[in-house]
Amino acid sequence: MTAEVLLQGIVSGLLMGFVYALIAAGLSLIFGLMEIVNFAHGEFLMLAMFSTYWAWALWRLDPVVSLPLTAAALFLLGFATYHGLIRWVLGAPMLAQIFATFGLAIFLRSAAQAIWGVDFHLVKDPLVQGRISLGGIFIGLPQLVASVGALLAFVFLNWFISRTETGLALQATAQDRQAASLMGINTERMFALGWGIGAACVGVAGALLTIFFYVFPDVGSTFALLAYVTVALGGFGNVPGTLVAGVVVGLIEVLGGLLIAPALKYVAVFVLYLLVVLWRPQGLFGRF
Amino acid sequence: MDSSTVGHAKWPRRLTFTAGLVALALLLAFPLVFTLPYPRDVMIRIFLYAMLATAWNVLAGYCGQISLGHAVFFGTGAYTSTVLVKTLGLTPWAGMLAGAALAVALSQVIGYPVLRLRGHYFAIATIAVGEIVQTLMINWDWVGGARGLFIPIDRTGSLLAFQFRDKQVYYYIALGLLLLALWVTRRIERSRTGYYFRAIREDQDAAASLGIPVARYKQRAMAVSAALTALGGTFYAQYILFIDPESVLPLSLSILICLIAVLGGVGTLWGPLIGAAILVPLGEATRIYLGGTGKAIDLLIYGFLIMVISVIQPGGIMALAQRGRRRTG
Amino acid sequence: MRRAIGLLSLALVALSPWAPAQAQAPKEVVIGILYPLSGPVAQVGIDSVNAVKMAVEIINNGGSTLNLPLGKTAGLPGLGGAKIRLVIVDHQGKPDVGQAEAERLITQEKVHALYGAYFSSVTATASQVAERYGMPYLNAESSSPGLTERGFKWFFRTSPHDGHFSVAMFDFMKDLEKRRGVKIKTLGIMHEDTLFGVDSAKVQEELAKKYGYEVVIKMAYRAKTTSLDAEVGKLKAANPDVFLPTSYTSDAFIFVKTAKNLDYNPKMLMAQNAGWTDPSFLTEMGKDAEGHITRAPFALDMADKKPMIKPINELFKKLKDNPGGRDISDVPARAFTGFIVLADAINRAKSVNPEEIRKALAATNMPPEQLIMPWSGVKFDEKGQNTGVRAILQQVQKGKYATIYPFELAAADVVYPLTPWKDRK
């Protein structure tokens, strides 16, 4: 294994890690707000990718251009999911919540197959393509744009949560629902908003991913598993923690593949995750 | 609280007993009436999945530890007996016990660290364990790797071989396994262990402050649950005669097991059985009538139903039944 | 009482269909079709079912001008013009479902033969049931070599298996070395980690030893992966002359994108169909697929040598269940051919008795003119494997699959070596 290959691996892992982090961010946000894990998160991602793909296939809108549209569409989806499903299982046991979102996952995936069929799609000739070479290390421009986009989304998300009035209200609701409610915060609206923003994050991630990844009804499940691990690794509800965890997952994946064996790269990720939660049961930056 | 412990009049319990006997008699007579393999096969699947969900229920329903990695124990049972048949020619019955023993050992090794996690952390950790085990098995050539293992066909008809031409025998074995799982659950439900389990489920910290050795009892729940699940794994291997990591260790199996229990009602004795009796035939019917189109309409309906049930009846069908009883009683 | 029991059964097992065993209609031959119709590979199953339905239409309606057995007459003349009816089921890619469905088809739908199931693992369990019941089972597309090594009496396979395919690849490399004077020394094998990839890689490794090539890297990866950066990195480091991937569609997509991104340039890329012959691979990959070689049992561009390909493809494109009007591809073409072979055997058996059908299948001797496949015919050995199979290799040239090997069937010359990414326009 030459240093060049290793360095290339680290760069690739970092770039992918930012995208993983953004996918997981929405999940983490929603959990922090109301302690619900959305098991349909992968399907949200899939819908975001299809939305991006169709914007391109029908109107020739490049993924980068249609990104705000996709984010808005997913915001609505998250909002609708909260009102149509989640609101009704808020007081239910954790298992009922898990299965409500599992049911939603199966439903959305099958709906995508029924409507769009089971063909693989790609956005051809996106605005951003090609790569740059730095001393023998290649950086794919789509990946670079996706990573920078993911980072910007994180900065925006962080600013929104900690600096705006709505964001502070969200935080207050997350910390103590009743107290927030007494302070005159409409917690119901906050929850719906949280779902909207969480889904919009996935929307941005899906749009960026579509620049260089295939679109398919099953594509979400591949990423969802990593997203759950990322969120738990970073600590549920901790958005900056998710960013760090995403990068760690991306790096371990590539390094595990290079140094151990490609077949076992996800084993490396999962083992690392287990080791971390054994040492810190609440994840790297989580709170109990 | 279980209504039978509240001191109802004597006769409802006797009525329950009689109804149970009648149901059992009907189940025993079923293969004599239905001689075609398919209805028997559907019943066998109901028993098998009911048994797996019952086993899962011990850990998740009573003790409150929601595992999404139970396929690991199922796979342990399937692989242990199969490898023993293939290498030593050991009867699968002994393999079944060995599989259960290995599953218990494995559950303690996994449980020791993982059971310290709570809520969603525990659930996701069990998913991770499941993925790790599946990937390792895929890459372990000695046990067939991704190709899986065929169980050598033995048509001597000997009971020891655990292979039968006639589905009837499989039917009774599956029924027996289910009854065993129900009996074990019943015993636990009424024992002190059962109360400890429920105390841990309701409030782990309060249970600990009352002097309940929380960690030890969680381990115990995991052991019982793993052992029963492994028995089901061996049965599956002998019934299908082919196993591979894709069919005995997938995440989707772990999820199906809890789905069945949740539908029926977790933390209740009959919930898993009711869940299996609804979900298995539903899956068959939607696949047969709607699956041929390639439009995934069957799964669409399936997903929708799960959502509806979790919204209108989060406690599962058993909660519905209990509410009904309370209203009439 | 009977009725009551019947009703009870309905109540017990919800809506599961055990239609009362219908009296055997003499005017009908029933064939059970098993394919994956949901999940990631559903499209292959749907296309294959369409191809089989097309074959049934040709046979049942008659009046076809094609040189197909049974094309001209309506129904099966050997059985007094009996029509073929299909019972199509989705096995969801699960071996246990395949097994249960095979049993249901035999005992309740009263099928006269079984057909399918694409996935080698499902074919394995479903054909096991057929063997037990003494029911003819024809498989047209599972490529695991082990399937015909089980000593089954009722199992037949029309298509080549991984062994045949890989031999063609290695013959091609040797021939290319002779013909072009190029030097090939090292090979790199990368495969997805299910049965398909593992089997294929194993055969390739053995053949490499036999043909005297050095395998410098052999690695498995998870079929459901989100990136192949590490894998391509390792490949670049090992830098084999010829790269042999075995992938399904999703991973083939990721591989090509990653190779382009990381500037991985093998001199030759030779794939085991699947992902590389998926109909969407060419349309979506566009020029990035250029120059890749894949094995294939079927080739549209052989139309001048096989005049039947064109009209059949036209028929396929017009099917109402094929809204995109896509071309018939590798797997559906094999499904079509296999089904014609099965129907022809039943016709020759002049009976729906399983033993008679089995005998007729074993005695099959279909000449190459009646096939759309590039084979020397269909004839089964005692293991049930078609001995007339021949694998061909195709290269993506100017956005189309061009047959390049065997040289006598070739429609185009091999482009070698592969154009590096930086020189592609």
Side-chain angles (χ1 to χ4, degrees), chain A residues 54-100:
Chain A
W54 285 116
W56 173 82
L58 298 178
W59 308 308
R60 296 289 141 181
L61 286 181
D62 191 81
V64 184
V65 178
S66 67
L67 188 141
L69 288 179
T70 303
L74 265 284
F75 181 90
L76 289 179
L77 176 72
F79 199 79
T81 304
Y82 175 75
H83 279 292
L85 183 67
I86 304 304
R87 193 154 69 97
W88 309 97
V89 293
L90 263 190
M94 172 182 156
L95 265 173
Q97 297 170 344
I98 290 182
F99 284 103

Side-chain angles (χ1 to χ4, degrees), chain B residues 279-293:
Chain B
L279 219 50
V280 173
L282 182 73
E284 292 289 304
T286 50
R287 193 190 71 240
I288 289 166
Y289 289 118
L290 304 167
T293 58

Side-chain angles (χ1 to χ4, degrees), chain A:
Chain A
M1 192 67 37
T2 62
E4 195 183 312
V5 174
L6 212 57
L7 200 58
Q8 176 73 64
I10 291 172
V11 170
S12 306
L14 265 178
L15 294 177
M16 204 62 193
F18 288 126
V19 179
Y20 288 157
L22 185 58
I23 295 171
L27 198 63
S28 187
L29 186 79
I30 291 168
F31 185 88
L33 197 58
M34 57 180 82
E35 305 219 337
I36 285 183
V37 171
N38 176 18
F39 279 93
H41 200 70
E43 280 59 37
F44 280 24
L45 180 72
M46 177 270 293
L47 289 177
M49 294 175 79
F50 263 109
S51 143
T52 309
Y53 171 76
W54 285 116
W56 173 82
L58 298 178
W59 308 308
R60 296 289 141 181
L61 286 181
D62 191 81
V64 184
V65 178
S66 67
L67 188 141
L69 288 179
T70 303
L74 265 284
F75 181 90
L76 289 179
L77 176 72
F79 199 79
T81 304
Y82 175 75
H83 279 292
L85 183 67
I86 304 304
R87 193 154 69 97
W88 309 97
V89 293
L90 263 190
M94 172 182 156
L95 265 173
Q97 297 170 344
I98 290 182
F99 284 103
T101 54
F102 257 127
L104 181 65
I106 298 173
F107 179 78
L108 292 178
R109 201 184 314 156
S110 332
Q113 183 182 339
I115 299 169
W116 299 312
V118 272
D119 264 334
F120 289 82
H121 301 287
L122 275 180
V123 170
K124 267 163 279 188
D125 289 325
L127 277 180
V128 187
Q129 54 179 328
R131 54 168 193 241
I132 47 175
S133 166
L134 292 173
I137 304 297
F138 292 100
I139 300 175
L141 282 177
Q143 280 82 355
L144 187 64
V145 167
S147 307
V148 171
L151 265 179
L152 287 178
F154 259 102
V155 170
F156 177 78
L157 192 63
N158 220 27
W159 168 80
F160 177 81
I161 293 177
S162 54
R163 291 278 182 272
T164 64
E165 201 171 319
T166 323
L168 291 172
L170 265 176
Q171 270 191 338
T173 314
Q175 264 156 24
D176 191 330
R177 203 174 297 179
Q178 252 156 357
S181 171
L182 288 174
M183 299 291 289
I185 296 171
N186 183 344
T187 54
E188 184 86 339
R189 241 184 65 199
M190 285 301 127
F191 285 155
L193 189 68
W195 271 83
I197 296 171
C201 286
V202 189
V204 175
L208 294 170
L209 198 56
T210 313
I211 308 176
F212 63 95
F213 212 83
Y214 66 84
V215 181
F216 187 73
D218 250 7
V219 68
S221 56
T222 321
F223 285 96
L225 210 54
L226 287 178
Y228 302 134
V229 169
T230 305
V231 172
L233 186 64
F236 277 108
N238 187 313
V239 172
T242 309
L243 179 61
V244 176
V247 171
V248 169
V249 168
L251 282 176
I252 295 296
E253 183 191 334
V254 173
L255 293 180
L258 283 175
L259 301 177
I260 306 169
L264 301 178
K265 62 182 185 181
Y266 293 119
V267 170
V269 172
F270 292 132
V271 166
L272 172 94
Y273 157 73
L274 287 178
L275 289 178
V276 168
V277 290
L278 290 184
W279 162 60
R280 278 182 68 85
Q282 69 277 39
L284 286 172
F285 308 98
R287 54 183 157 76
F288 255 135

Side-chain angles (χ1 to χ4, degrees), chain C residues 154-295:
Chain C
W154 299 86
F155 184 75
F156 297 88
R157 169 159 61 186
T158 47
S159 126
H161 59 63
D162 289 336
H164 300 120
F165 282 128
S166 297
V167 165
M169 291 183 179
F170 281 80
D171 285 342
F172 167 65
M173 286 190 275
K174 279 279 172 233
D175 284 357
L176 190 72
E177 283 190 273
K178 264 183 249 152
R179 216 174 230 233
R180 295 272 186 94
V182 299
K183 269 270 153 284
I184 297 173
K185 275 209 189 81
T186 54
L187 308 180
I189 298 172
M190 181 181 89
H191 62 96
E192 55 88 38
D193 65 354
T194 69
L195 179 73
F196 167 55
V198 172
D199 264 351
S200 144
K202 189 169 167 249
V203 170
Q204 288 179 339
E205 203 178 22
E206 286 164 6
L207 285 171
K209 220 171 271 166
K210 208 172 122 196
Y211 281 72
Y213 294 115
E214 187 196 352
V215 177
V216 288
I217 183 167
K218 175 177 181 253
M219 60 181 167
Y221 63 91
R222 278 316 301 258
K224 281 187 117 189
T225 185
T226 53
S227 82
L228 288 173
D229 286 315
E231 287 79 353
V232 174
K234 284 188 100 117
L235 279 172
K236 265 185 89 167
N239 196 24
D241 293 336
V242 175
F243 171 53
L244 305 168
T246 304
S247 316
Y248 282 119
T249 312
S250 59
D251 28 335
F253 272 55
I254 302 175
F255 172 79
V256 176
K257 286 275 169 198
T258 311
K260 183 180 180 186
N261 197 12
L262 298 183
D263 199 36
Y264 171 53
N265 295 299
K267 289 201 205 85
M268 189 196 291
L269 182 156
M270 192 150 52
Q272 294 271 33
N273 69 348
W276 261 270
T277 52
D278 186 301
S280 62
F281 184 72
L282 264 199
T283 54
E284 300 300 298
M285 272 298 158
K287 53 189 193 299
D288 287 349
E290 197 68 17
H292 293 172
I293 297 171
T294 173
R295 52 106 142 160

Side-chain angles (χ1 to χ4, degrees), chain B residues 30 33-34 36-39 41-42 45 135 138 146-147 150 155 165 167 236 240 287-289 291-292 294, chain C residues 5 9 13 15 17 37 46 90 96-97 99-101 103-104 107-108 124 132-133 193 195 199 202 222:
Chain B
F30 181 89
V33 181
F34 295 94
L36 280 175
Y38 184 68
D41 177 76
V42 173
R45 274 160 206 274
T135 311
I138 285 174
R147 297 155 170 243
F150 282 99
R155 291 293 173 202
R165 235 195 147 77
K167 280 223 162 17
Y236 174 92
I240 306 292
R287 193 190 71 240
I288 289 166
Y289 289 118
Chain C
I5 291 168
S9 78
V13 195
L15 294 165
L37 299 171
I46 295 166
D90 172 21
D96 58 320
V97 175
Q99 186 194 46
E101 282 294 351
E103 195 151 34
R104 188 178 67 87
T107 56
Q108 286 183 221
R132 185 144 48 87
Y133 279 90
D193 65 354
L195 179 73
D199 264 351
K202 189 169 167 249
R222 278 316 301 258

